[in-house]
């Protein structure tokens, strides 16, 4: 290792090698846990954050994570490094816990210079699972591309890192601690977030709903939202004890995959489809920023969920009279666009990645936003927020006094229905995933005008986004194929895993209010599915006979 020739006298420096690793994505750096356990690996990345974010010296830093394996040890290291870099105040969740939306809320409330969040989101945890770290800016949102690029470039050059030799204080008990010149506040990870939720929703109406025999089940998947859900749903709103399933955060999420979809939250899904099952079901993911919404024998797609939220926004106290617009990621169905048009509101189509919504939210151009990957949010924070979405739905149900299925039927009868599904081919070799996308890009010029399976292709492109706030351009964001009758296919490679690649195929067909609104989704999309598989040749190139997950 290279020794730094003139280390500052007021810091303890540890020599290390430059951080030779791939560039972190929009969700920060995610790798296998064992990779983070290598000597100096975490420290080098954190040093790059401090080197490129001078406002942290003399400022306030928020720190917490989703409680997965290595969370506690990593937070102790970051506390010692923050003290070595002159951070005046550290706000840390007790036990090292903070959900991602709660961290965003705390950054904003206390006007912190930024936050470091430890999570690999919906990826599995444990010694053989995944770990992650990301930096959020003073607006509470994920760091911009400029910031993540600067962190990456710095990580390639550093030769050491500053860390205080003194041990970090225990984080289990709330209170004030001193580490060097840094004051550490260990705070209740739930209270600030719960206070924010009470300012947005009609808790009295929800209490009345829950006291009248309405039954709900929330699956925390042994991840970070367990304490939040118990505090809000059971303690403050009066849901029956035990309404929160798997509510104790575990370092390996109980051996499960903390991704709230129909496959990984199977126990919850089975409960909702039982005779006499609960009236409402929901789940969140590893770090608490995703959500799945269910009614009795009814699944609400994330795309439809965003559209319903927008349609009912005037009924929600925190949004009445102040919705400026809506944004959705490009692969998300156009259901919200139809509601926005009816309400006379602007609708924005962005690339996947919450930072794009952050620009629109900061500029006041939108109030609600969402992605098809089980993420919805608003301007209350700068992250997607799983439990917020659950409370939003409970507020709607408390006022409408109708089952989830009836609310969806009424919505479709007014706006029409976007039949929508996502087919995921997970764990593909990276070269196969790249070959599939290149095959699609090579076909783009010749696709318009072609007829496939009785469907006429109108346009085809590789989505490019020009940000209306900062004028930045983001190219190659996914292949879109639009047909003359309004049906649509989108192809993307996902970057949220730590091994291989995931090909995501999004399928969408619109049925107007006068059409058939209750067909089986996969049957309704059957012809489009065949066309999609023909276009990308996924089965032939990957030797897969079916998607890994269908949602």
């Amino acid at each position: 290792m290279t020794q730094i020739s003139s280390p500052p006298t007021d810091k303890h420096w540890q020599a290390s090698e430059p951080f030779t690793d791939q560039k972190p994505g929009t969700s920060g750096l995610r790798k296998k846990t064992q990779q983070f356990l290598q000597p100096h690996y975490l420290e080098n990345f954190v040093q790059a954050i401090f080197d490129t974010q001078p406002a942290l010296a003399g400022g306030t830093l928020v720190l917490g994570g989703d409680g997965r394996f290595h969370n506690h040890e990593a937070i102790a290291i970051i506390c010692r490094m923050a003290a070595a870099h002159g951070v005046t105040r550290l706000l840390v969740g007790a036990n090292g816990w903070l959900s991602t939306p709660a961290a965003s809320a705390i950054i904003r409330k206390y006007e912190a210079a930024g936050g470091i969040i430890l999570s690999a989101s919906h990826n599995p945890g444990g010694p053989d699972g995944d770990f992650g770290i990301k930096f959020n800016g003073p607006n509470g949102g994920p760091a911009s591309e400029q910031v993540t690029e600067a962190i990456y470039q710095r990580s390639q050059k550093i030769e050491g890192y500053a860390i205080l030799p003194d041990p970090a204080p225990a984080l289990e008990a709330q209170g004030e601690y001193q580490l060097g010149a840094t004051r550490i506040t260990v705070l209740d990870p739930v209270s600030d977030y719960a206070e924010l939720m009470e300012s947005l929703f009609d808790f009295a109406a929800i209490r009345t709903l829950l006291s009248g025999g309405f039954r709900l089940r929330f699956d925390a998947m042994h991840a970070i939202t367990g304490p939040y859900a118990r505090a809000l749903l059971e303690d403050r709103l009066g849901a029956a004890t035990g309404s929160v399933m798997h509510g104790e955060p575990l370092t390996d999420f109980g051996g499960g995959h903390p991704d709230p979809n129909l496959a990984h939250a199977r126990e919850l899904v089975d409960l909702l489809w039982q005779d006499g099952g609960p009236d409402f079901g929901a789940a969140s993911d590893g770090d608490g920023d995703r959500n799945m919404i269910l009614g009795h024998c009814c699944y609400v797609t994330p795309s439809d969920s965003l559209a319903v939220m927008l349609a009912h926004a005037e009924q929600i106290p925190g949004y009445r009279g102040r919705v400026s617009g809506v944004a959705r990621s490009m692969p998300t169905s156009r259901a919200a666009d139809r509601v926005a048009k009816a309400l006379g509101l602007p609708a924005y189509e962005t690339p996947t990645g919450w930072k794009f919504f952050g620009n629109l939210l900061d500029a006041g151009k939108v109030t609600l936003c969402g992605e098809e990957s089980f993420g919805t949010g608003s301007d209350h924070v700068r992250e997607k927020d799983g439990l917020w979405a659950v409370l939003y739905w409970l507020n709607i149900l408390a006022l409408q006094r109708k089952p989830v299925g009836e609310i969806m039927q009424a919505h479709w009868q007014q706006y029409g229905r976007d039949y929508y599904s996502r087919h995921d081919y997970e764990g593909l070799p990276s070269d196969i995933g790249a070959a599939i996308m290149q095959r699609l890009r090579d076909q783009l010029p010749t696709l318009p005008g072609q007829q496939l399976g009785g469907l006429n292709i109108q346009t085809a492109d590789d989505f490019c986004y020009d940000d209306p706030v900062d004028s930045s351009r983001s190219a190659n964001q996914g292949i879109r194929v639009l047909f003359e009758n309004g049906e649509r296919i989108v192809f993307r490679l996902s970057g949220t895993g730590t091994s291989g690649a995931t090909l995501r195929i999004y399928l969408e067909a619109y049925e107007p209010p006068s059409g058939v609104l209750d067909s089986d989704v996969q049957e309704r999309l059957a012809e489009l599915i065949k066309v999609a598989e023909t276009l990308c040749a996924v089965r032939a190139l990957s030797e897969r006979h079916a998607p890994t997950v269908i949602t």
Side-chain angles (χ1 to χ4, degrees):
M1 293 186 179
T2 305
Q3 178 65 51
I4 295 177
S5 56
S6 301
T9 57
D10 60 337
K11 298 179 182 179
H12 177 79
W13 280 82
Q14 169 68 54
S16 68
E17 302 292 348
F19 188 82
T20 55
D21 208 339
Q22 68 183 53
K23 187 180 298 185
T26 58
S27 300
L29 182 68
R30 292 184 191 169
K31 295 290 181 183
K32 289 297 181 184
T33 303
Q34 292 300 319
Q35 195 158 345
F36 271 95
L37 295 178
Q38 296 177 85
H40 315 303
Y41 188 88
L42 172 72
E43 292 89 337
N44 279 9
F45 190 74
V46 174
Q47 181 67 43
I49 293 175
F50 284 116
D51 284 352
T52 58
Q53 307 305 307
L56 295 177
T60 297
L61 176 67
V62 174
L63 176 61
D66 62 13
R68 67 179 60 224
F69 185 87
H70 195 52
N71 186 82
H72 193 276
E73 295 81 2
I75 284 181
I77 289 170
I78 297 170
C79 285
R80 295 167 59 205
M81 293 185 68
H85 285 89
V87 171
T88 299
R89 188 183 186 195
L90 263 175
L91 301 176
V92 186
N95 294 307
W97 291 345
L98 278 180
S99 75
T100 290
S104 180
I106 291 169
I107 291 169
R108 295 171 63 80
K109 177 177 179 177
Y110 294 97
E111 299 181 343
I116 295 177
I117 301 174
L118 303 175
S119 174
S121 187
H122 56 292
N123 293 10
D128 299 318
D130 299 336
F131 194 81
I133 179 172
K134 71 173 183 173
F135 177 73
N136 279 32
N139 74 338
S144 67
E145 286 186 343
Q146 292 84 357
V147 169
T148 56
E149 177 66 22
I151 292 171
Y152 169 71
Q153 292 298 335
R154 180 58 186 154
S155 74
Q156 305 301 291
K157 300 174 183 177
I158 62 174
E159 298 176 305
Y161 55 88
I163 185 167
L164 212 65
D166 303 339
L171 302 174
E172 288 75 19
Q174 298 175 46
E176 299 288 333
Y177 304 88
Q178 199 73 25
L179 183 61
T182 299
R183 180 161 59 102
I184 299 178
T185 301
V186 178
L187 46 74
D188 177 357
V190 176
S191 59
D192 288 314
Y193 177 82
E195 178 183 301
L196 178 58
M197 294 301 103
E198 286 197 82
S199 74
L200 297 174
F201 301 111
D202 188 343
F203 271 37
I206 299 173
R207 285 191 198 99
T208 300
L209 173 72
L210 296 178
S211 66
F214 184 91
R215 295 164 302 152
L216 70 85
R217 296 300 293 271
F218 177 87
D219 191 350
M221 307 188 85
H222 285 305
I224 191 62
T225 50
Y228 294 84
R230 281 178 173 159
L232 283 162
L233 299 178
E234 295 184 6
D235 298 344
R236 300 197 184 200
L237 292 171
T241 301
S243 295
V244 177
M245 306 164 52
H246 308 131
E248 185 66 31
L250 299 176
T251 58
D252 64 350
F253 308 121
H257 190 149
D259 192 356
N261 61 38
L262 296 172
H264 297 305
R266 192 70 230 176
E267 183 180 347
L268 176 70
V269 173
D270 289 343
L271 280 175
L272 269 293
W273 260 258
Q274 286 180 1
D275 291 340
D279 303 291
F280 177 78
S284 191
D285 70 327
D287 67 331
D289 64 356
R290 299 183 183 220
N291 72 91
M292 178 173 66
I293 302 296
L294 303 168
H296 183 59
C297 298
C298 175
Y299 163 63
V300 181
T301 69
S303 298
D304 275 344
S305 183
L306 175 63
V308 169
M309 288 179 174
L310 179 61
H312 291 271
E314 281 299 310
Q315 301 174 18
I316 308 300
Y319 300 93
R320 190 175 297 129
R322 70 173 198 85
V323 177
S324 59
V326 67
R328 62 168 176 83
S329 65
M330 181 272 287
T332 302
S333 95
R334 293 162 291 181
D337 299 16
R338 307 184 201 285
V339 178
K341 182 177 180 181
L343 297 177
L345 295 170
Y348 296 85
E349 181 181 44
T350 75
T352 297
W354 211 258
K355 62 184 178 181
F356 298 103
F357 293 150
N359 276 359
L360 296 169
L361 291 165
D362 285 345
K365 291 182 177 294
V366 303
T367 307
L368 299 175
C369 46
E371 296 179 337
E372 57 73 37
S373 56
F374 297 87
T376 37
S378 82
D379 58 358
H380 70 291
V381 291
R382 291 300 182 268
E383 292 276 5
K384 47 186 176 281
D385 190 345
L387 198 51
W388 166 88
V390 174
L391 293 169
Y392 201 120
W393 264 92
L394 287 173
N395 205 154
I396 293 172
L397 291 163
L399 298 175
Q400 291 293 308
R401 293 289 175 159
K402 297 176 181 177
V404 174
E406 288 187 20
I407 288 176
M408 293 312 308
Q409 284 293 330
H411 183 87
W412 295 332
Q413 287 165 8
Q414 181 173 359
Y415 299 103
R417 180 178 183 183
D418 286 83
Y419 283 92
Y420 183 83
S421 184
R422 188 181 87 187
H423 289 207
D424 289 355
Y425 291 82
E426 297 178 337
L428 296 177
S430 297
D431 58 339
I432 296 297
I436 290 172
M437 294 303 292
Q438 190 58 52
R439 171 190 168 87
L440 288 165
R441 290 190 173 96
D442 291 343
Q443 294 181 78
L444 285 177
T446 63
L447 288 179
Q450 283 192 36
Q451 184 180 73
L452 294 173
L455 301 175
N456 296 315
I457 298 176
Q458 184 179 60
T459 61
D461 67 2
D462 197 344
F463 180 54
C464 180
Y465 177 67
D466 292 309
D467 195 301
V469 178
D470 62 17
S471 300
S472 63
R473 168 165 283 202
S474 300
N476 303 318
Q477 296 297 311
I479 305 297
R480 302 184 297 182
V481 181
L482 182 65
F483 298 84
E484 288 181 355
N485 60 358
E487 295 182 328
R488 189 176 73 142
I489 303 172
V490 173
F491 303 88
R492 284 186 65 249
L493 273 187
S494 172
T496 58
T498 58
S499 60
T502 295
L503 176 69
R504 304 198 194 279
I505 303 176
Y506 312 84
L507 307 127
E508 180 181 359
Y510 177 67
E511 192 71 46
S514 58
V516 178
L517 302 176
D518 57 357
S519 297
D520 177 83
V521 173
Q522 301 305 315
E523 289 180 5
R524 176 64 178 81
L525 297 173
E527 193 60 43
L528 204 60
I529 293 169
K530 292 179 183 177
V531 171
E533 292 175 349
T534 298
L535 280 171
C536 69
V538 61
R539 297 196 178 196
L541 292 174
S542 69
E543 299 182 352
R544 300 282 183 89
H545 300 295
T548 312
V549 177
I550 295 176
T551 52

